[in-house]
Amino acid sequence: MSKNFQNNLCPLCGKQRIVVKTYKEKIGNSVITYTEKICPDPVCQKKLDGQLAQEQKKRNLIIKAQKKREEERKKRLKDKKAGK
Ligand SMILES: [Zn+2]
């Protein structure tokens, strides 16, 4: 219980966040419930949004790099096969 409460606190200012939206997503056989929470302080939330956007950007870059590596690996395998 206390853990859930902690999760509900803004990581920046420590205020209790407001739940704006909950949605469920089915992944495989399990349903995961996501809760979208915002900080009651708009200035603080703006900072958080900025951080999230930056994290998303970083994640996208990592995914892109992974995809590229995977494609290159496949290509090398294909070339190897073609060249015998
Ligand atoms: Zn906050």
Side-chain angles (χ1 to χ4, degrees):
M1 197 63 190
S2 61
K3 211 174 177 185
N4 281 337
F5 183 70
Q6 270 181 356
N7 283 343
N8 206 24
L9 295 180
C10 172
L12 284 186
C13 69
K15 281 182 193 147
Q16 183 143 17
R17 290 185 291 180
I18 311 159
V19 175
V20 281
K21 199 163 72 175
T22 54
Y23 54 99
K24 285 174 183 169
E25 200 176 285
K26 210 176 167 205
I27 295 172
N29 286 324
S30 50
V31 177
I32 294 170
T33 309
Y34 292 99
T35 323
E36 209 179 296
K37 297 180 207 118
I38 58 156
C39 180
D41 184 344
V43 179
C44 186
Q45 181 56 34
K46 221 174 178 177
K47 269 192 228 166
L48 272 173
D49 281 344
Q51 278 189 359
L52 276 176
Q54 253 178 349
E55 268 171 42
Q56 189 64 44
K57 228 173 168 178
K58 259 192 250 168
R59 228 171 311 174
N60 283 345
L61 278 177
I62 291 168
I63 290 168
K64 225 172 155 181
Q66 275 174 345
K67 267 191 186 160
K68 207 180 157 196
R69 261 205 305 269
E70 181 65 17
E71 265 164 35
E72 275 169 7
R73 197 180 66 90
K74 275 185 191 161
K75 198 173 172 279
R76 264 203 305 275
L77 276 173
K78 223 171 141 188
D79 288 348
K80 222 175 167 183
K81 266 187 200 164
K84 276 177 196 175

